[in-house]
Amino acid sequence: MTFMRDYQDMVFTTAARLTGNDAQAEDIAQEVFIKAHAHFPEVKAGSPGGWLKTVTTNLAINHLTRYRRRWHMFSDIWPAGDVEWGVEDTLLADVGAEQRRRLVDNALKHLPAHQRIPLVLYHFDELSYQEIAARLRVSLSKVKTDILRGRAALLKILESSGLVREVL
Amino acid sequence: MNNNDRNDRTLTRLLREIPARRAPATLELRVVNALQGGATGAARYGYKHWPLPARGACLALCIAFAVLTVYAEASLPSPALLIPPAWVDGAIVTAISLYSALFGLAALGYHTLYRPR
């Protein structure tokens, strides 16, 4: 159980940011640790953090892929909106780490799945556009557009909280 | 540097510095219970994953219930006599057709919206 306590926050956070839903994230985290238990010698021998992160991401994407067609459809009809938003380098710099985390996690939950998922994979999991396109089985241009729109939407939500100001 | 590049850089820096969330206190207990067999039991999965005796018992129960329903319907007293047998047959056929249509529509909806590719 020490093993689990060391990694449960990371696993849960990864799943929660991808799914935007705490209950689903807890289900996914449970599955991840059951898989880790089944492959424990292999996990322990390699890089446990990397293994857990990869499995969590895969399970979350698999879970979300069930809704693929629905979010494709919404992605196509979602208005492009104003993507010409700029932020200062000091974005949220005057806010404490915990409050910043709460603000960003809350803002992520408000993004539609087709924007949140590539955005999280790009900014948190540090995947490239190409890797995201391959993982989600969508075109590269769609990934770029969704990330662009997701960023703008995220900044708008943060801006509405009064912590980010529009610089354009 | 345009706005998109600046947003990319600023958000990348901001988001990578954000600490992880705390996992719910219930997670550890759930995993322990699951590993002890609770959540990984047959009941969690579909019919085809049930143990053979459970599947057999379920099937037998369903057949018994269906037979019982037919007998109960057949043994209905006088009101049943007022309804021509052709109407009863028609009603059964209609009910089966409607049920099949509903099932087909639900399957089509699931296939269109949810089924993984």
Side-chain angles (χ1 to χ4, degrees), chain B residues 68-80:
Chain B
L68 211 67
T69 307
V70 170
Y71 272 113
E73 192 263 341
S75 62
L76 277 178
S78 54

Short mmCIF file of all heavy atoms in Angstrom, two decimals, chain B residues 68-80:
data_model
loop_
_atom_site.label_atom_id
_atom_site.label_comp_id
_atom_site.label_asym_id
_atom_site.label_seq_id
_atom_site.Cartn_x
_atom_site.Cartn_y
_atom_site.Cartn_z
N LEU B 68 -44.39 -19.55 -16.78
CA LEU B 68 -45.37 -19.18 -15.76
C LEU B 68 -46.29 -18.07 -16.27
O LEU B 68 -47.51 -18.10 -16.06
CB LEU B 68 -44.62 -18.70 -14.50
CG LEU B 68 -45.32 -18.97 -13.17
CD1 LEU B 68 -45.38 -20.47 -12.90
CD2 LEU B 68 -44.59 -18.25 -12.05
N THR B 69 -45.70 -17.13 -16.98
CA THR B 69 -46.49 -16.00 -17.52
C THR B 69 -47.50 -16.51 -18.55
O THR B 69 -48.67 -16.11 -18.55
CB THR B 69 -45.54 -14.97 -18.18
OG1 THR B 69 -44.55 -14.62 -17.23
CG2 THR B 69 -46.29 -13.73 -18.61
N VAL B 70 -47.04 -17.42 -19.42
CA VAL B 70 -47.93 -17.97 -20.46
C VAL B 70 -49.08 -18.76 -19.81
O VAL B 70 -50.24 -18.60 -20.19
CB VAL B 70 -47.13 -18.86 -21.44
CG1 VAL B 70 -48.06 -19.62 -22.36
CG2 VAL B 70 -46.16 -18.00 -22.24
N TYR B 71 -48.73 -19.59 -18.80
CA TYR B 71 -49.77 -20.38 -18.11
C TYR B 71 -50.76 -19.48 -17.40
O TYR B 71 -51.97 -19.71 -17.43
CB TYR B 71 -49.12 -21.36 -17.11
CG TYR B 71 -48.77 -22.68 -17.75
CD1 TYR B 71 -47.45 -23.06 -17.91
CD2 TYR B 71 -49.78 -23.55 -18.21
CE1 TYR B 71 -47.11 -24.26 -18.52
CE2 TYR B 71 -49.45 -24.75 -18.82
CZ TYR B 71 -48.12 -25.10 -18.97
OH TYR B 71 -47.80 -26.28 -19.56
N ALA B 72 -50.23 -18.43 -16.78
CA ALA B 72 -51.10 -17.51 -16.04
C ALA B 72 -52.07 -16.84 -17.00
O ALA B 72 -53.27 -16.69 -16.71
CB ALA B 72 -50.25 -16.46 -15.32
N GLU B 73 -51.53 -16.47 -18.17
CA GLU B 73 -52.36 -15.81 -19.17
C GLU B 73 -53.43 -16.77 -19.71
O GLU B 73 -54.59 -16.42 -19.88
CB GLU B 73 -51.46 -15.30 -20.31
CG GLU B 73 -52.13 -14.35 -21.28
CD GLU B 73 -52.63 -15.04 -22.52
OE1 GLU B 73 -52.17 -16.16 -22.84
OE2 GLU B 73 -53.49 -14.46 -23.18
N ALA B 74 -53.01 -18.05 -19.92
CA ALA B 74 -53.92 -19.06 -20.47
C ALA B 74 -55.02 -19.43 -19.48
O ALA B 74 -56.13 -19.80 -19.88
CB ALA B 74 -53.13 -20.30 -20.86
N SER B 75 -54.70 -19.33 -18.21
CA SER B 75 -55.68 -19.75 -17.21
C SER B 75 -56.55 -18.60 -16.73
O SER B 75 -57.27 -18.74 -15.74
CB SER B 75 -54.95 -20.38 -16.02
OG SER B 75 -54.12 -19.40 -15.44
N LEU B 76 -56.47 -17.48 -17.43
CA LEU B 76 -57.32 -16.34 -17.04
C LEU B 76 -58.79 -16.73 -17.17
O LEU B 76 -59.17 -17.40 -18.15
CB LEU B 76 -57.03 -15.13 -17.93
CG LEU B 76 -55.83 -14.26 -17.54
CD1 LEU B 76 -55.66 -13.14 -18.57
CD2 LEU B 76 -56.01 -13.67 -16.16
N PRO B 77 -59.62 -16.32 -16.24
CA PRO B 77 -61.04 -16.68 -16.32
C PRO B 77 -61.82 -15.86 -17.35
O PRO B 77 -61.24 -15.30 -18.26
CB PRO B 77 -61.55 -16.42 -14.89
CG PRO B 77 -60.61 -15.39 -14.36
CD PRO B 77 -59.30 -15.58 -15.04
N SER B 78 -63.06 -15.72 -17.15
CA SER B 78 -64.01 -15.19 -18.11
C SER B 78 -63.57 -14.02 -19.00
O SER B 78 -63.87 -14.07 -20.20
CB SER B 78 -65.31 -14.83 -17.38
OG SER B 78 -65.02 -13.97 -16.30
N PRO B 79 -62.94 -12.95 -18.49
CA PRO B 79 -62.65 -11.83 -19.39
C PRO B 79 -61.88 -12.26 -20.63
O PRO B 79 -62.09 -11.72 -21.71
CB PRO B 79 -61.81 -10.88 -18.53
CG PRO B 79 -62.14 -11.24 -17.12
CD PRO B 79 -62.46 -12.69 -17.14
N ALA B 80 -61.01 -13.26 -20.46
CA ALA B 80 -60.22 -13.72 -21.60
C ALA B 80 -61.11 -14.30 -22.69
O ALA B 80 -60.81 -14.22 -23.88
CB ALA B 80 -59.21 -14.76 -21.14
#
